[in-house]
Each structure stands twice: as C-alpha cells, then as structure tokens.
Amino acid sequence: EEQLVESGGGLVHPGGSLRLSCAASGFLLGSRDMSWARQAPGKGLEWVSSIRRGGTRTSYADSVKGRFTISRDNGKNMLYLQMTSLKPEDTAVYYCVNRWEPVLYGSRNGDWGRGTQVTVSL
C-alpha cells in the first residue's frame, strides 16, 4: 500500500516561509511523478505543483509560480515544497500526491496523504 505523510505546516505571518515535507512508504518515490495540491476552507481542490520522477521537470500553478519550489530526494523517499513570500490566500491544507495531475475534474486522482495545515495570518 502506497502511503504518504505530510509534515511541516503551521502558522506563519504574511511574507514568511515554510518548508513542507512528504514521507513516502510502500513504494519507491523515484518510480512516481509527484505533486502537491491544496484545499482552502470552503473551496475546492487546487493543484499547486508537480515534479517528474527524475526531478528534471517541474510545473507550478500561476498562483504560486516564483514563490514555491518543489523538490524531491528519491534516495530518502521524500518530497518537499519550499514556500516563500506566503500570502493569506495560501492558507489551506496541503497534500502530497503520487500523480503528476493530482486533481482531475475537481476530484482527487491517485493516493493522497492526510494533509498538513498551513495558515498565513497576522
């Protein structure tokens, strides 16, 4: 069974930074394209960023481009999301997903972790 466990969320002021981590188990991370998605309170699922299995290609939603960086360490079976210049609208539960496209037609695609809460507020 493929399992994903996110960590690193918390409360941060606008303009601050956080680094999210995702520990994968039950499969070799290097065999999967991976992504991050999020869900803000009262809103739908939103794709944030994706990374190919070798780490050579990445993609970002326009809302986070230039502020967030996705990375991976296949040797450690870990996925990361470095978030900088955080805004209140980044407040959401962030999920690690074992697919390039974590959201299809508004619904979850692939295996998702339980998520980690990120709150950006004064």
Side-chain angles (χ1 to χ4, degrees):
E1 180 183 4
E2 299 188 13
Q3 294 189 329
L4 302 161
V5 179
E6 302 91 342
S7 61
L11 174 64
V12 63
H13 293 316
S17 299
L18 280 175
R19 188 194 195 204
L20 305 184
S21 299
C22 172
S25 62
F27 70 105
L28 292 175
L29 191 76
S31 68
R32 292 281 195 186
D33 297 333
M34 297 293 295
S35 59
W36 289 93
R38 66 186 181 185
Q39 186 166 27
K43 296 191 176 181
L45 301 171
E46 179 187 13
W47 165 71
V48 174
S49 181
S50 300
I51 186 168
R52 290 297 189 192
R53 59 197 68 189
T56 56
R57 181 185 170 194
T58 58
S59 185
Y60 298 91
D62 288 343
S63 58
V64 307
K65 198 172 294 182
R67 301 187 297 119
F68 291 10
T69 303
I70 191 171
S71 63
R72 63 195 298 160
D73 186 334
N74 290 338
K76 294 182 178 179
N77 251 32
M78 294 292 294
L79 179 73
Y80 304 101
L81 185 68
Q82 178 68 49
M83 306 186 295
T84 63
S85 301
L86 282 162
K87 306 174 181 180
E89 51 264 42
D90 294 318
T91 295
V93 178
Y94 285 72
Y95 299 92
C96 170
V97 188
N98 59 359
R99 294 291 188 275
W100 177 258
E101 293 183 277
V103 182
L104 289 177
Y105 307 108
S107 297
R108 293 184 173 194
N109 180 40
D111 297 306
W112 289 49
R114 297 182 69 176
T116 185
Q117 175 71 48
V118 171
T119 302
V120 184
S121 179
L122 291 171

